[in-house]
Amino acid sequence: MSMVTAQHLHKSFGRFVAVRDADFSIDKGEIVGFLGPNGAGKTTTMKMLTGYLPPTRGTASIAGYDVLDNPLEARRHLGYMPENVPLYEEMRVYDYLEYRARLKGICGSSVRQQVGWAIDRCGLEPKRKNMISTLSKGYRQRTGLADALLGNPDLLILDEPTNGLDPNQIRQIRELVRSLAADHTVILSTHILSEVEMICNKVIIIDQGEIKAADTPANLTAGLRAAGRVSIEFKGDLDSVVAELESLEHVKKVMVEDPLPDGWHRLTLRAEPGTDTREKAAAAIISRGFALRHVYRHIPSLEDVFVEMTRRD
C-alpha cells in the first residue's frame, strides 16, 4: 500500500520552477532518503507533501488522502519536523509538547499519555522540566522530533534532522530514527549520505526540481558506471599491458594514472557494469612475467550515485 503518492507535482514561483512534474510513490513501512543538492527542490517538495505549500499543479496524497482536498485527514497521518525547528524557548519541554498535542486535537487523558510516550521515545526524560532556551542543539532536535511523533502518525517527514549537530549527536539521532522506523514510514532529507546508506531502504534523488532516480540503494549502485571500475598496480612494460587489457572482454577503457615510485605503474580499468574483470586482468599481467601487487574492484557508494546523477559536466 502506498503511504505517499505524488503525481505531476509542480511548483513555480513566478518564472522560477522549484519542482517540475515530480512523480514518485512511497510504500507503507519504507524508510526513504530524499536527496539533492542545495536548491534542488527537496524542501519545497516536502512542504507540498505536508500541505504547507500548495502545488502550482499536480497532486499529492498521504495515506490515500489528497493534501489539498482532505488536508485535515492527510495531516492526521503525518508528523513533520522542519529543518529549522520552531520552538517556544520560554516554555518547558513538557509544557511545550503538551501545548502542541492539544493543538493537534489530542484531548483528555490522551494528552499526558502521548506526551509521555514521545518524551520516552526521544530520550527527553532528563530534560522534561528544562526551559527550551537552555537545551543544547541535540536536545532541541529531539524536542522537534517528539513534536512530530505526537499523535503517533503513520508517516514522519524529517528535514535535515541532524543539521548542526556534532558527530556524537548525529549518531544518537540516527539510532533514534532507526528505532522509529519499525512503526512508521519515514522520509529523511539529509546531506550526510552515509546516514542514508545505513538507515534507508529506498532513495529518491532530485536535482534542479526534477526527480532523477527513485530506487533501492543496491539497484542504484549496480547500474553505475563506477560499478565496473578496477584499480591495478604492477611493474613491467606499460604499453604492452595497456594493449592487452584493452583487448579483454567487457573492458571499455584503460586509464593510465600518475607513475608510482620504483618503476610501478597504476592503471584504472573501466568495464561494463555488472562485470568483474579482475581475474582476467591479473592473469594477463602475470602471464607476461610482470609483478602484480594490487587488484581492486571499486564498490560504488551512494555518494558515487549522487555525484553522477547531479553532476553538471
Side-chain angles (χ1 to χ4, degrees):
M1 175 185 175
S2 290
M3 178 58 62
V4 179
T5 302
Q7 295 180 318
H8 305 295
L9 200 59
H10 190 96
K11 183 64 179 179
S12 57
F13 300 93
R15 295 184 178 181
F16 174 71
V17 178
V19 178
R20 187 187 305 273
D21 291 322
D23 285 295
F24 60 88
S25 64
I26 297 170
D27 291 336
K28 186 176 182 179
E30 286 189 315
I31 314 168
V32 179
F34 197 50
L35 308 178
N38 289 331
K42 300 188 303 299
T43 297
T44 300
T45 301
M46 287 189 285
K47 285 183 176 180
M48 286 191 287
L49 291 179
T50 60
Y52 280 75
L53 273 179
T56 304
R57 62 174 182 265
T59 62
S61 64
I62 306 295
Y65 296 99
D66 189 285
V67 298
L68 288 182
D69 295 339
N70 296 286
L72 295 180
E73 287 296 334
R75 290 185 184 184
R76 285 192 180 98
H77 294 269
L78 168 68
Y80 177 45
M81 178 181 171
E83 180 177 358
N84 298 306
V85 181
L87 299 172
Y88 294 153
E89 296 196 350
E90 69 278 9
M91 298 183 75
R92 300 184 188 276
V93 170
Y94 184 91
D95 295 338
Y96 170 76
L97 293 174
E98 184 182 58
Y99 168 71
R100 290 290 296 154
R102 296 188 186 280
L103 283 182
K104 293 183 179 186
I106 302 170
C107 303
S109 62
S110 295
V111 173
R112 179 177 294 180
Q113 180 182 3
Q114 281 286 322
V115 172
W117 173 77
I119 284 175
D120 182 63
R121 289 300 303 269
C122 295
L124 283 167
E125 184 60 37
K127 304 293 183 180
R128 64 184 293 151
K129 295 182 179 180
N130 288 46
M131 300 291 290
I132 290 176
S133 61
T134 67
L135 297 181
S136 67
K137 176 70 172 178
Y139 275 110
R140 286 169 180 253
Q141 295 295 87
R142 287 171 181 264
T143 303
L145 188 51
D147 181 355
L149 279 172
L150 292 172
N152 196 20
D154 297 313
L155 172 67
L156 292 173
I157 298 181
L158 311 179
D159 192 359
E160 300 287 351
T162 58
N163 184 34
L165 303 186
D166 64 39
N168 288 328
Q169 292 170 330
I170 288 174
R171 178 176 295 181
Q172 292 166 359
I173 295 295
R174 180 181 68 209
E175 293 303 319
L176 177 55
V177 171
R178 182 179 292 168
S179 70
L180 294 173
D183 303 309
H184 306 269
T185 303
V186 180
I187 301 177
L188 175 67
S189 171
T190 179
H191 285 97
I192 306 176
L193 300 184
S194 59
E195 298 294 307
V196 176
E197 285 187 302
M198 286 186 280
I199 297 175
C200 299
N201 50 34
K202 184 175 183 178
V203 175
I204 296 174
I205 297 177
I206 186 171
D207 185 35
Q208 295 182 315
E210 297 183 1
I211 302 296
K212 299 294 186 180
D215 210 334
T216 65
N219 287 342
L220 289 174
T221 55
L224 200 64
R225 284 188 308 180
R229 199 170 73 204
V230 174
S231 176
I232 296 174
E233 292 180 11
F234 74 99
K235 181 184 286 187
D237 182 65
L238 179 62
D239 293 336
S240 64
V241 168
V242 169
E244 178 75 15
L245 296 179
E246 286 178 334
S247 68
L248 294 178
E249 185 181 10
H250 304 306
V251 173
K252 300 173 69 174
K253 187 176 183 180
V254 178
M255 294 166 286
V256 179
E257 309 294 343
D258 293 336
L260 300 170
D262 302 324
W264 289 89
H265 303 285
R266 178 187 293 138
L267 303 175
T268 298
L269 276 62
R270 181 171 290 169
E272 297 171 4
T275 64
D276 191 345
T277 58
R278 287 176 295 177
E279 185 175 351
K280 289 183 178 179
I285 294 171
I286 293 172
S287 66
R288 292 174 175 270
F290 298 149
L292 176 67
R293 71 179 184 185
H294 173 81
V295 180
Y296 173 73
R297 182 171 181 256
H298 177 73
I299 301 173
S301 65
L302 192 56
E303 181 177 349
D304 296 317
V305 174
F306 182 83
V307 169
E308 184 151 317
M309 292 282 182
T310 59
R311 66 195 311 167
R312 298 287 181 262
D313 56 354

